[in-house]
Amino acid sequence: MNDLISVIIPVYNTGEKIINTLECVINQDYNNLEIILVNDASNDNTIKTAQGVLKNSSRLFKIITHEKNKGVSAARNTGFESANGKFIAFIDSDDLIKENFISHLYKIAVENNSDVAVCSFIDRYFAPDRDIEWRFKLKKHFFKNGSDLIFNWSVFPIWCCLYKKSFLDAIGIKFFETCSAGEDVEFQKKAMTHAKNIIFSDECLYIYVHTPQMGSISETKTKAGKIRRYRDSSQAHLRTAKYIIKNSGGNLRLKNFAERVLLPETFVRILTTYSKQHDIKKFNNLLKKLAVKKILCSTLNFHTLIKKPELFFKALLVILAPGIYYRIRS
């Protein structure tokens, strides 16, 4: 088999870094690729550089441009809507992939009729004196399905995956736009709510490159930026918990987990946001709601204590001594 695979790359002011990323995709040992570059209104030389690299290759490609900056979620959605492949990969514009990233994931996905194929990955940090790498290896068949992953807090990044497009089309999820943090985890958990067959590889084929320019670093240099990202991430958690509760179907284990763990975790995060914003009024008003207190109390169970003790003790402190929690987190 040699199905078309769409590689979606959202781009915003990546500059010369886009060269290495594109060359990694172009040099894949899998032949039938389409490269979809979504230019999110870059105002530097990124697209000119990318055009030069792509035009000199033999790969099928398209460049789609947003007239105004909409964020990485909108760029990924635009790329997905334009994709023709049977499988989809989302690659960040400053990361790297091994030459068999596509072929290996495609092979194991087809052999196992998987909704999602996942590879292990490398975190690469650039330090002044040397580069630092950490390898994260995933065990094959460690989890049976997506709900097992969610239940064990083991959801993996979107960029080390190959998704069957028909699976994503069937569940109809998109990346939540205007969200500055947590949008990828939200997408992944929503997808895993429906995934019945996932295959893992312990081969480290994706290299996630940490640079000072990446959003998780550059956008947290100010207190306001940190709070904004934390707030957006908290809202992503809330949307995710509500989605899982609504779409868990007959999976009572997953639904109960979302209600008794994910939802309480979300409200702890929202209360923390209000603390960081020094908004005691919103903090107190949220805690006055009986439904919220009931949700927080539901996380005080043995499973949470063992699996995620920090959530257990945060919820306990919020319930027993909200004033102390507010002061500690503000």
Side-chain angles (χ1 to χ4, degrees), residues 6 62 64 127 152:
S6 301
K62 64 180 79 171
I64 305 171
N152 288 278

Side-chain angles (χ1 to χ4, degrees), residues 9-15 18 37-44 46-47 68-72 75 93-94 213 219:
I9 309 174
V11 178
Y12 177 69
N13 288 356
T14 309
I18 193 65
L37 203 70
V38 183
N39 172 27
D40 194 29
S42 297
N43 53 27
D44 65 354
T46 299
I47 298 307
K68 62 179 182 179
N69 184 260
K70 298 180 180 180
V72 65
S93 61
D94 51 3
Q213 292 77 32
E219 294 175 13

